[in-house]
Amino acid sequence: LCSRSKMGDDNEDVRDDGRLRKQEEDYTKQVDDALPKAVALATEGKLREAIDGLLPLEKKARIASDVPSTTRLLEAVVQMCFDAKDWDAMGEYLILLTKRRGALKKAVTKMVQKACEFLEQAPDKETTLKLIDTLRTVTSGKIHVEIERARLSMKLSKIKEADGDIAGAADVLQELQVETFGSMEKLEKTEFILEQMRLGLARSDFVRTSILSKKISRKIFDSEDTQDLKLKFYKQMIQVALHDENYLDVCKHNQQIFDTKKIKEDKEKSVEALKQVVAFLILAPYNHEQADLVARVSKEEKIEELPEFKKLLKNFLKTEIMPWNKVDTEFGATLKKLDCFDDSEDSKKRYDILKRRVVEHNIRVMSKYYTYISIKRLAELLELTEDQVEDSLSALVVSKTVYAKIDRPKGIVTFKVPRDPSAVLQGWSSEANELLQNVDRASHMIQKEMSLVQG
């Protein structure tokens, strides 16, 4: 469960103010003499008497900053408690030895790590939980055992989750800010935060999950060793984006999965990932980023293996109307094979959104070809009722995707963008200046020609 912390030379310790504690005296010989006697006494069933006999020597070694000797004594105390199967005594002495004045950080760390090793051998769940609680108490607020506390919290979280207490499991992990742990490796930090995110999703806490995701640097996923973590991260981010109905983000997360080497090497998984990219890309509302992605994905080499999806993307790139009934007939069966367009309520909602995106595409195309058009004719071309046309058109106008004005009494839609009065005036002024310059140039040339003729 716990590994050795990085704290430099084993014979040195650091004060709270950052200064090194120099060893003043060596108690190795005294420890060598005392430990066998204490172990023998503990074996006879006199555990507390054996440990109490070591405490004065531990005090001397601690005051003299003898790190190796103090470490041996503290580890021996924990080992004797374990050998005697006295778990209550182990908890008591852990608390006592960590709270002693001038406790050596390295010695305490080694003792905690030794106790962590015995967790897996606890006789029952109650004993395990009690020891974890004791260890988390003695490591609370201590930087030199922050990694041990994090790993203990992870173990406690898994126990709570196994018991069905998802909220409790999430709370245990979320109280730790592992991104601030300087002694923890980046890979372990990432795994820890991913576990925090997973539990956040399990309790439907999407806001916290989104905040946690920002603590992970995407650069760590550039390594081939982190491909599994990358896939796990982006699958969790897809869940967050789906909850927020941010389909462009869902598309980009799926694209990251598609670009992962492990997925690209698996033909079936890469094709499935690309299908998801295309599906959520056409569900995303139109903007410059979405349009750019459509163009880039349509040129993807792997898209050639999906002719129907390629054709669908091409339709969105063309400045041509694509009737919804035709789209539904031609691509509906293929799209409904995907998980995102199955028979669930959310999927049916997404299919309605797809219809809206097709209608919006058609309106954008018409705004390029028409200056004026009747609502009746627009409804015929879009295969919608006049009320539905107004709703779709209004949504595009509000999002500033197109410019349009509806004259209801006349039943006319105007796509022509009115020019600003100052821009019109500036245009007239520019044209008038250009005209006068041309007249002046022509007059000069006439005068020059006449002078040549007369000469």
Side-chain angles (χ1 to χ4, degrees), residues 112-365:
V112 169
Q113 290 171 355
K114 189 75 172 177
C116 289
E117 293 173 6
F118 299 136
L119 272 174
E120 301 296 334
Q121 302 177 54
D124 52 46
K125 182 179 173 182
E126 183 182 350
T127 304
T128 301
L129 289 173
K130 190 173 180 180
L131 183 55
I132 289 176
D133 184 58
T134 301
L135 287 167
R136 291 181 78 241
T137 299
V138 301
T139 56
S140 178
K142 296 180 174 66
I143 295 176
H144 55 284
V145 284
E146 60 187 6
I147 295 180
E148 285 71 24
R149 178 173 172 78
R151 291 170 184 165
L152 287 163
S153 298
M154 177 72 80
K155 186 170 182 64
L156 178 59
S157 174
K158 289 186 181 298
I159 293 173
K160 286 181 175 289
E161 185 181 10
D163 292 341
D165 185 6
I166 302 297
D171 289 338
V172 167
L173 286 190
Q174 285 166 3
E175 69 182 24
L176 297 171
Q177 309 298 323
V178 292
E179 67 277 5
T180 64
F181 291 4
S183 53
M184 185 179 279
E185 297 290 341
K186 286 185 179 180
L187 193 61
E188 189 175 0
K189 285 183 186 179
T190 303
E191 291 172 345
F192 200 98
I193 296 172
L194 284 173
E195 187 65 14
Q196 290 178 322
M197 290 174 62
R198 185 185 68 80
L199 289 171
L201 289 172
R203 70 189 296 191
S204 300
D205 192 346
F206 295 97
V207 174
R208 186 182 292 274
T209 303
S210 180
I211 293 170
L212 287 168
S213 70
K214 295 173 183 175
K215 296 179 179 181
I216 296 178
S217 171
R218 307 304 191 266
K219 290 181 181 179
I220 197 170
F221 298 134
D222 294 340
S223 170
E224 288 190 14
D225 298 336
T226 58
Q227 288 185 65
D228 290 333
L229 292 180
K230 179 181 179 181
L231 294 175
K232 185 177 179 182
F233 173 75
Y234 283 109
K235 284 176 182 177
Q236 290 178 350
M237 291 307 298
I238 285 171
Q239 292 183 55
V240 175
L242 281 174
H243 175 266
D244 297 337
E245 296 185 358
N246 190 335
Y247 297 122
L248 187 59
D249 278 354
V250 177
C251 166
K252 289 191 284 188
H253 297 327
N254 273 302
Q255 192 170 30
Q256 289 290 339
I257 291 174
F258 172 73
D259 290 336
T260 304
K261 184 178 179 181
K262 186 176 181 180
I263 297 298
K264 283 202 167 184
E265 290 173 350
D266 187 321
K267 183 177 179 181
E268 186 178 341
K269 289 182 178 179
S270 64
V271 167
E272 186 60 34
L274 188 54
K275 287 179 180 179
Q276 296 293 327
V277 170
V278 174
F280 286 104
L281 183 54
I282 59 178
L283 282 172
Y286 176 85
N287 55 36
H288 293 303
E289 186 179 9
Q290 189 266 358
D292 178 61
L293 267 175
V294 170
R296 284 194 283 125
V297 173
S298 65
K299 295 176 183 177
E300 173 65 46
E301 185 179 345
K302 207 83 174 177
I303 200 74
E304 299 297 335
E305 299 176 23
L306 302 169
E308 290 184 314
F309 287 87
K310 181 180 180 180
K311 187 177 180 182
L312 181 58
L313 283 178
K314 290 291 184 184
N315 285 344
F316 277 93
L317 287 171
K318 293 176 182 177
T319 52
E320 297 177 8
I321 292 174
M322 47 178 178
W324 167 247
N325 287 337
K326 184 180 177 182
V327 172
D328 186 29
T329 303
E330 190 172 353
F331 304 106
T334 302
L335 290 172
K336 287 178 180 177
K337 291 178 183 177
L338 301 176
D339 294 340
C340 55
F341 291 120
D342 58 20
D343 295 329
S344 66
E345 287 300 318
D346 287 340
S347 295
K348 289 176 181 177
K349 182 180 176 182
R350 290 189 200 108
Y351 205 69
D352 290 337
I353 292 173
L354 176 60
K355 180 180 179 181
R356 193 192 313 162
R357 298 294 177 247
V358 172
V359 170
E360 289 172 354
H361 167 81
N362 292 338
I363 292 175
R364 289 198 306 274
V365 170

